[in-house]
């Protein structure tokens, strides 16, 4: 079961599960917490999970004005302060990974470790593996049908608000994020960059992100797409749990991580 918290500017729905060190799961664009289904049991067995749904997603209402990754990152920082009560591990998928990067860069005091999956630091036209991807994201597009159904089932704004949210998010994807590499270079939290080998974010961009975040680790899951969390959950969960729960091994022939 979930509940609401009044954050500055947005009444935010969230759920909790498990016990241990806090982990905040940050869902992708168009999504609800339902998409974390393949991860919840494994992660809750080791950690205390917090699952907020962002403005205009799931049970959390939309707010006036355009969508902004920075606003969502500010909401997440407020959630960490007011609900979690301090720093946590951040695990973000897609848009959630972008938000994790923004929070880790601006608020290092709130982030222990970060896992960013299928994330980018530039707008979709500059990093997408498939040209014209955004042109397929109309409110009635078959590709968005599962997300449209999730939205209609729980949104306090009603199913009729879906085209508004779709327009806001696709507009955001075309122009955001724009995270300077010098901001990524300021991230001090241990970071895992995770991707499918056939992700909508190009592998070249994922590698650029990995190289920009100091000391980060990289995992590319074979035989998966942007939906790797659902496609190979056992493997992905093991990778995430190992990263969050264990200290890095001392490698024999370091190059990038050489002191």
């Amino acid at each position: 079961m979930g509940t609401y918290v009044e954050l500055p500017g947005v009444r935010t729905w969230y759920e909790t599960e498990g016990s241990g060190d806090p982990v905040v799961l940050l869902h992708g664009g168009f999504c609800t917490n339902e998409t974390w289904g393949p991860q919840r049991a494994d992660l809750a067995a080791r950690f205390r999970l917090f699952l907020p749904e962002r403005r205009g997603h799931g049970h959390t209402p939309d707010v006036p004005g355009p969508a902004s990754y920075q606003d969502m990152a500010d909401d997440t920082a407020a959630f960490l302060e007011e609900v979690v009560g301090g720093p946590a591990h951040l695990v973000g998928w897609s848009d959630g990974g972008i938000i994790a990067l923004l929070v880790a860069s601006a608020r290092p005091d709130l982030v222990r470790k970060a896992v960013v999956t299928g994330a980018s630091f530039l707008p979709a036209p500059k990093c997408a593996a498939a040209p014209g991807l955004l042109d397929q994201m109309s409110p009635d597009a078959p590709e968005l049908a599962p997300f449209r159904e999730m939205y209609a089932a729980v949104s306090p704004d009603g199913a009729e608000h879906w085209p508004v949210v779709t327009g806001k998010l696709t507009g955001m994807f075309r122009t955001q994020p724009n995270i300077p590499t010098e901001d990524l270079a300021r991230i001090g939290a241990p970071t895992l960059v995770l991707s499918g080998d056939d992700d909508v974010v190009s592998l070249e961009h994922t590698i650029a992100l990995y190289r920009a975040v100091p000391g980060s680790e990289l995992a590319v899951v074979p035989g998966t797409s942007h939906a790797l969390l659902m496609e190979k959950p056992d493997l992905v969960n093991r990778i995430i749990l190992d990263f969050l729960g264990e200290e890095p091994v001392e490698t024999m022939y370091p190059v990038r991580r050489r002191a």
Side-chain angles (χ1 to χ4, degrees):
M1 295 294 292
T3 188
Y4 283 99
V5 59
E6 296 290 343
L7 298 178
V10 60
R11 186 170 185 255
T12 298
W13 170 270
Y14 71 98
E15 301 168 55
T16 58
E17 184 177 358
S19 60
D21 289 339
V23 171
V24 178
L25 300 183
L26 302 170
H27 60 74
F30 298 120
C31 296
T32 71
N33 285 338
E34 183 179 339
T35 51
W36 286 116
Q39 280 67 55
R40 288 182 67 156
D42 285 352
L43 270 62
R46 295 267 302 273
F47 297 99
R48 176 66 168 168
L49 303 184
F50 295 83
L51 298 91
E53 290 181 331
R54 293 189 299 281
R55 51 176 67 195
H57 292 76
H59 300 76
T60 299
D62 193 15
V63 298
S68 160
Y69 284 118
Q70 188 58 60
D71 287 344
M72 296 179 192
D74 292 342
D75 295 341
T76 302
F79 182 85
L80 286 160
E81 292 175 327
E82 297 190 26
V83 178
V84 180
H89 303 307
L90 303 185
V91 178
W93 174 47
S94 195
D95 278 8
I98 295 169
I99 291 161
L101 290 172
L102 287 168
V103 176
S105 174
R107 293 296 308 272
D109 56 310
L110 293 176
V111 182
R112 297 184 181 185
K113 293 183 178 181
V115 178
V116 295
T117 305
S120 64
F121 59 93
L122 293 176
K126 295 184 178 181
C127 66
L133 182 66
L134 288 175
D135 297 334
Q136 304 172 21
M137 292 186 176
S138 64
D140 298 325
E143 293 83 0
L144 293 186
F147 305 106
R148 185 167 60 245
E149 293 167 4
M150 284 190 289
Y151 182 88
V154 299
S155 174
D157 296 320
E160 63 275 9
H161 195 69
W162 169 252
V164 176
V165 169
T166 305
K168 286 185 177 186
L169 292 180
T170 54
M172 180 177 71
F173 299 158
R174 292 184 187 279
T175 60
Q176 301 177 40
N178 284 289
I179 307 175
T181 53
E182 53 265 33
D183 287 359
L184 296 174
R186 286 200 294 267
I187 294 177
T191 300
L192 171 65
V193 177
L194 187 58
S195 173
D197 66 350
D198 191 23
D199 207 296
V200 298
V201 177
S202 73
L203 187 57
E204 291 79 7
H205 186 80
T206 297
I207 293 171
L209 173 60
Y210 158 69
R211 288 175 172 160
V213 178
S216 61
E217 299 181 19
L218 173 66
V220 178
V221 179
T224 62
S225 71
H226 195 58
L228 66 160
L229 297 171
M230 288 75 90
E231 293 162 348
K232 290 191 176 180
D234 292 341
L235 175 56
V236 170
N237 294 354
R238 287 199 302 273
I239 292 171
I240 293 173
L241 286 168
D242 179 74
F243 176 75
L244 294 181
E246 305 296 334
E247 293 300 317
V249 300
E250 184 175 349
T251 56
M252 296 176 65
Y253 306 111
V255 177
R256 181 173 178 268
R257 299 186 182 91
R258 182 177 297 168

